[in-house]
């Protein structure tokens, strides 16, 4: 989950490196953080499955994706401190993953609109760097507004 959230930041860090060695160092750091987090998620999932039991998990969710939340619900559910902390950690991880995916999609859309469409098509490559950055910012705003309005209209159409 955190891997998706870190991806836009990793790309920005690699692009801002002074040289190849700095980019490789940043890449190693991010890969280490992502690997440790994914290992911890696997350990937590397997531990929760061992505590809860496979029959309980498959009775609630045949895919087994509820094992961590079921483990938090054993001792008092979300009213206990441990259950509340576990539920909060899972909810935060999901939120950060979604936020990372949205940020990455917005960054890539803004970069494509600003660099490829506006600079090379509309201005034929004749644009100063300050104006290109301004174009990227406005592209990010327009991509975000377009996504938000289309999702709101889709929600109204489905309800």
């Amino acid at each position: 989950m955190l891997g998706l959230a870190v991806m836009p930041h990793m790309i920005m860090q690699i692009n801002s490196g002074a040289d190849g060695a700095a980019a490789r160092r940043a890449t190693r750091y991010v890969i280490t953080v992502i690997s440790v987090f994914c290992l911890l998620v696997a350990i937590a999932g397997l531990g929760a499955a061992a505590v809860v039991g496979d029959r309980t998990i498959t009775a609630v969710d045949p895919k087994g994706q509820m094992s961590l939340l079921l483990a938090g619900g054993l001792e008092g559910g979300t009213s206990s401190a441990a259950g509340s902390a576990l539920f909060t950690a899972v909810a935060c991880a999901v939120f950060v993953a979604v936020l990372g995916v949205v940020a990455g999609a917005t960054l890539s859309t803004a970069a494509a609109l600003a660099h490829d469409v506006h600079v090379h098509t509309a201005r034929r490559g004749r644009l100063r760097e300050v104006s290109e950055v301004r174009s990227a910012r406005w592209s990010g705003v327009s991509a975000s507004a377009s996504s938000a309005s289309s999702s709101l209209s889709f929600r109204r159409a489905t309800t």
Side-chain angles (χ1 to χ4, degrees):
M1 284 183 251
L2 187 60
L4 297 175
V6 173
M7 190 59 72
H9 307 293
M10 181 179 80
I11 292 169
M12 287 187 289
Q13 184 69 24
I14 290 172
N15 288 336
S16 67
D19 56 1
R24 285 188 291 278
R25 229 181 358 262
T27 303
R28 276 195 304 271
Y29 174 74
V30 170
I31 288 174
T32 302
V33 169
I34 291 171
S35 300
V36 167
F37 186 80
C38 288
L39 182 65
L40 290 175
V41 167
I43 290 170
L46 291 172
V51 169
V52 173
D54 61 342
R55 291 185 183 170
T56 306
I57 294 171
T58 54
V60 173
D61 181 23
K63 294 181 182 178
Q65 297 176 353
M66 295 293 293
S67 62
L68 198 56
L69 293 176
L70 287 172
L74 288 178
E75 297 295 327
T78 56
S79 60
S80 69
S84 180
L86 182 63
F87 185 78
T88 302
V90 170
C92 288
V94 169
F95 177 74
V96 166
V98 169
L99 188 64
V101 169
V102 170
T106 303
L107 282 174
S108 62
T109 302
L113 285 174
H115 185 71
D116 296 339
V117 175
H118 186 247
V119 174
H120 290 294
T121 305
R123 298 291 183 169
R124 291 179 177 57
R126 297 179 311 242
L127 196 61
R128 294 179 316 179
E129 188 173 333
V130 174
S131 299
E132 188 172 349
V133 170
R134 187 179 310 120
S135 174
R137 288 179 181 160
W138 281 109
S139 297
V141 169
S142 66
S144 299
S146 169
S147 299
S149 65
S150 65
S151 65
L152 287 174
S153 65
F154 180 72
R155 180 164 185 232
R156 287 187 190 125
T158 59
T159 56

